[in-house]
């Protein structure tokens, strides 16, 4: 059984196209989406339509919550709040009410079972869409924040930096970001899990796409914060 976990698309439909093509070439059986579909991207509606066409399980991320109700005080630095809400308003202007309702209805976690293998998947932590657990946090922090529920694999997103750790015989996996990586590598990221009768293989896959084309789209648009987003894409860093 081959499973793909994708997340943090952030309206980058070009990156999502490339990832979905790669997934098809690898004969993946099932795709799961861990949130942040539209916000901070130049093609929010097309990205959402591509996700919905998968007919797969999709959960909510913090950026989906922002699209629904706006960015709240204390959720981002004060100096960024006004601009990020302007970005949110631009994203909403590209969507219709059905899109907003779809985001509202998303659950916040997945509990999956494949034979003897159990997977707990969520966007940031099981209890929060916003809490940050980084790649270099200790095993103790990961255990406390991510591994409260019994499972064999724990998969999350949110930080845009893919990694795989083993803690006490369990996998902790971050699938990175399809549309807005922060680890310095200008390639889309997703997680591939291959479950066989007596083995589990986990890998984070990086996929090339035309980053320069997306940067040009931002620069030629009326997106409120296009210079920042173009810079993040160009450097793959926040």
């Amino acid at each position: 059984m081959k499973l793909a976990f994708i997340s943090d698309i952030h309206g980058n439909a070009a990156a999502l196209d490339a990832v979905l093509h790669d997934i098809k070439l690898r004969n993946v059986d099932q795709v799961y989406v861990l949130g942040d579909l539209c916000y901070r991207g130049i093609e929010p509606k097309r990205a959402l339509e591509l996700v919905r066409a998968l007919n797969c399980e999709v959960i909510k991320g913090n950026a989906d919550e922002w699209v629904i109700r706006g960015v709240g005080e204390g959720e981002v630095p004060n100096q960024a709040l006004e601009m990020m809400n302007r970005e949110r308003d631009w994203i909403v202007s590209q969507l219709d009410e059905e899109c907003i309702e779809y985001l509202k209805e998303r659950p916040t976690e997945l509990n999956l079972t494949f034979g003897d293998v159990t997977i707990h998947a969520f966007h940031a932590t099981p209890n929060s869409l916003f809490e940050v657990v980084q790649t270099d946090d200790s095993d103790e922090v990961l255990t406390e924040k991510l591994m409260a529920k019994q499972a064999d694999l724990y998969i999350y997103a949110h930080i845009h930096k893919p990694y795989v750790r083993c803690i006490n015989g369990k996998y902790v996996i971050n699938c990175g970001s399809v549309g807005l990586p922060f680890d310095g590598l200008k390639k889309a990221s997703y997680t591939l899990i291959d479950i066989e009768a007596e083995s589990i293989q986990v890998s984070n896959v990086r996929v090339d796409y035309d980053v320069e084309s997306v940067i040009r789209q931002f620069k030629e648009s009326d997106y409120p914060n296009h210079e920042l987003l173009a810079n993040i894409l160009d450097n793959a860093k926040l």
Side-chain angles (χ1 to χ4, degrees), residues 9-14 16 36-52 63-64 67 87-96 99-100 102-103 214 217-218 221-224:
I9 299 156
H10 289 284
N12 190 340
L16 182 56
D36 284 8
L37 310 184
C38 304
Y39 181 70
R40 284 205 148 174
I42 200 63
E43 293 188 277
K45 189 169 185 182
R46 189 164 84 84
L48 181 55
E49 288 171 346
L50 287 170
V51 168
R52 296 184 69 176
D64 305 312
V67 172
E87 292 180 69
R88 178 264 179 183
D89 292 344
W90 188 93
I91 296 298
V92 171
S93 76
Q94 307 298 305
L95 304 176
D96 54 35
C99 294
I100 304 299
Y102 176 82
L103 296 177
V214 179
Q217 283 181 281
F218 268 112
S221 75
D222 61 351
Y223 187 87

Side-chain angles (χ1 to χ4, degrees), residues 198-238:
E198 297 181 0
S199 67
I200 301 172
Q201 182 176 353
V202 177
S203 56
N204 281 325
V205 182
R206 304 308 289 262
V207 182
D208 284 313
Y209 74 98
D210 190 349
V211 181
E212 296 304 319
S213 175
V214 179
I215 291 173
R216 284 195 301 273
Q217 283 181 281
F218 268 112
K219 290 182 175 180
E220 294 169 0
S221 75
D222 61 351
Y223 187 87
N225 207 9
H226 65 271
E227 290 185 2
L228 175 65
L229 270 296
N231 186 63
I232 292 172
L233 286 165
D234 195 36
N235 294 282
K237 290 184 179 179
L238 184 62

Side-chain angles (χ1 to χ4, degrees), residues 4 37 47 61 63 74 78 83 95 97-98 106 134 137 140 142 224:
L37 310 184
N78 289 336
M83 176 59 79
L95 304 176
E97 188 58 35
E98 183 182 359
R106 294 310 91 205
Q134 287 287 8
D137 281 338
E140 290 75 19
L142 268 62

Side-chain angles (χ1 to χ4, degrees), residues 4-9 31-35 37 51 54 56-60 110:
F5 290 82
I6 67 177
S7 189
D8 294 271
I9 299 156
V31 179
Y32 299 93
V33 184
L34 304 188
L37 310 184
V51 168
L54 295 172
C56 67
E57 293 190 72
V58 180
I59 63 173
K60 185 188 296 184
L110 297 173

